Amino acid sequence: MKLPELKIGQHVAKIPIIQGGMAIRLSTARLAAAVAEEGGIGLIAASGMGFDELRYEIRLARSLTKGIIGINIMVAAREFARYVNTAIDEGIDLVVAGAGFSRDVFPMGKKSGTPIVPIVSTVKGAKISEKLGAAAIIVEGKEAGGHLGTDQSLRDILPDIKKSVSIPVIGAGGIMFGRDIAEVIKLGADGVQMGTRFAASDESNAAPALKEFYLKARPEDVVLIKSPVGLPGRAIKNPFAKKILECTADEPETCGACLKHCARNFCIISALIRAQQGDVDTGLVFTGEYIHKIDKILPVKEIFARLLKEVEEIN
Ligand SMILES: Cc1cc2nc3c(=O)[nH]c(=O)nc-3n(C[C@H](O)[C@H](O)[C@H](O)COP(=O)(O)O)c2cc1C
């Protein structure tokens, strides 16, 4: 099977693979640039970063590649608009908005000509996005890592969503191998977004202990927790996730008011930072449903080579 190019606004990715944004600081410049270098689209996860840090990461990514670099930012972040404007000011190629829906982001993109790409899980969300000016949409199924907007499989929701809009549709959730990419493209997707596979890559900014932890995960270790954002989140059941499930996690002692609305059942920023730094007992380890299918930490170049070879072998 030959993969199509993926056009989002004025940008054309030779390979229709987006590396999903992964907070906090799992997908930074190095990972995004490595993916962009292979012809895909690399996303820097802005959530939880400082604004100068975000500028630095965008500039660093630009120094590493001439490929397509975007940011991913959580709509639920209190400073959502400032993150978007900072990235646009740095000349970012596209903005992907997840964990919630924002109408306000579309005029920001329009002003600068920056493509805005919301993450949706319903026909309604897809149609509104197109009407408001989205350049493309990412359709995320329940298999995805991080915050979830649906309990339905990508394979079940994708065909109807594809039929309902005429902008590019990118499928996300549970895509690990070339055969998954081929399947999702055959279902009508114009491209795919992959998170977990890249979280467990050489260029991922996860600490080595977190990458090793990912490799040990079994299917029964993956659970849904209640995130303070107000959405379910997919994570590995470590001691901290058990506490969240039992409602015994500590409430935040200090609070930077990072979210527009926070349930305060625990501090998600510090929990994700602990995981990124390799504390796999007290950190919140976000993951996709199919983490157990990953048995090796690989460089991005090798991940792309394997994916493309597998796709090529499919009729
Ligand atoms: C560790 C981790 C962190 C994530 N963080 C974010 C995030 O900050 N914003 C977002 O929109 N999606 C986030 N996601 C979702 C990914 O961008 C991607 O859409 C999803 O993981 C795709 O499913 P897959 O992991 O099965 O490939 C995260 C996923 C993982 C695994």
Side-chain angles (χ1 to χ4, degrees):
M1 178 180 185
K2 193 173 156 22
L3 286 177
E5 291 182 337
L6 174 61
K7 189 166 185 302
I8 301 182
Q10 62 278 37
H11 306 290
V12 182
K14 287 225 145 37
I15 311 292
I17 298 177
I18 302 179
Q19 159 258 308
M22 291 175 284
I24 287 175
R25 298 190 187 92
L26 285 202
S27 66
T28 51
R30 191 164 161 249
L31 176 59
V35 170
E37 261 313 271
E38 294 306 310
I41 298 178
L43 300 184
I44 295 167
S47 306
M49 282 187 177
F51 298 102
D52 285 343
E53 181 185 1
L54 177 58
R55 283 186 191 278
Y56 172 83
E57 289 294 331
I58 294 170
R59 288 177 197 184
L60 179 58
R62 291 282 188 225
S63 73
L64 296 170
T65 183
K66 290 197 166 32
I68 306 170
I69 298 290
I71 64 151
N72 169 294
I73 174 71
M74 274 198 323
V75 177
R78 185 175 297 279
E79 297 274 23
F80 172 74
R82 194 168 161 202
Y83 281 112
V84 174
N85 284 325
T86 302
I88 288 177
D89 192 46
E90 284 295 322
I92 201 74
D93 294 325
L94 72 155
V95 172
V96 174
F101 188 81
S102 164
R103 287 174 176 268
D104 303 339
V105 69
F106 298 99
M108 294 183 211
K110 203 169 175 190
K111 227 168 96 191
S112 57
T114 311
I116 303 293
V117 183
I119 300 180
V120 300
S121 299
T122 61
V123 167
K124 192 174 160 203
K127 281 185 165 173
I128 296 173
S129 300
E130 180 172 46
K131 201 168 146 207
L132 292 173
I137 48 170
I138 294 170
V139 176
E140 220 180 53
K142 67 151 178 86
E143 300 88 348
H147 291 111
L148 298 175
T150 183
D151 58 4
Q152 286 184 276
S153 164
L154 171 65
R155 278 82 175 158
D156 291 337
I157 58 178
L158 183 68
D160 282 346
I161 294 181
K162 173 67 188 174
K163 270 186 244 150
S164 71
V165 292
S166 50
I167 49 178
V169 172
I170 295 132
I175 297 165
M176 301 287 148
F177 303 113
R179 60 175 179 272
D180 305 319
I181 298 178
E183 187 193 352
V184 171
I185 298 277
K186 281 181 186 168
L187 283 175
D190 301 281
V192 298
Q193 171 167 286
M194 299 169 61
T196 302
R197 176 61 273 192
F198 292 116
S201 68
D202 276 354
E203 292 88 344
S204 153
N205 197 41
L210 175 55
K211 293 184 192 178
E212 287 306 315
F213 191 62
Y214 276 137
L215 292 186
K216 287 192 215 129
R218 300 160 303 169
E220 60 271 30
D221 297 330
V222 178
V223 292
L224 288 179
I225 57 102
K226 229 170 111 184
S227 159
V229 166
L231 291 167
R234 193 176 287 292
I236 295 183
K237 192 173 176 185
N238 62 355
F240 186 68
K242 271 187 208 151
K243 279 191 180 177
I244 303 173
L245 292 170
E246 291 159 3
C247 301
T248 56
D250 290 334
E251 283 185 22
E253 273 175 22
T254 55
C255 178
C258 65
L259 298 174
K260 288 172 188 155
H261 305 284
C262 180
R264 295 182 68 93
N265 50 332
F266 65 94
C267 175
I268 188 159
I269 290 257
S270 28
L272 288 173
I273 290 175
R274 289 195 295 272
Q276 182 269 333
Q277 293 183 347
D279 184 343
V280 296
D281 289 330
T282 74
L284 175 61
V285 181
F286 269 165
T287 179
E289 190 172 352
Y290 298 147
I291 180 69
H292 63 277
K293 295 187 180 180
I294 294 175
D295 57 6
K296 211 169 173 202
I297 307 297
L298 293 171
V300 165
K301 205 175 187 45
E302 175 71 19
I303 294 174
F304 265 76
R306 289 186 184 198
L307 290 172
L308 297 183
K309 186 168 176 287
E310 287 160 17
V311 171
E312 237 169 61
E313 286 165 2
I314 293 167
N315 289 322

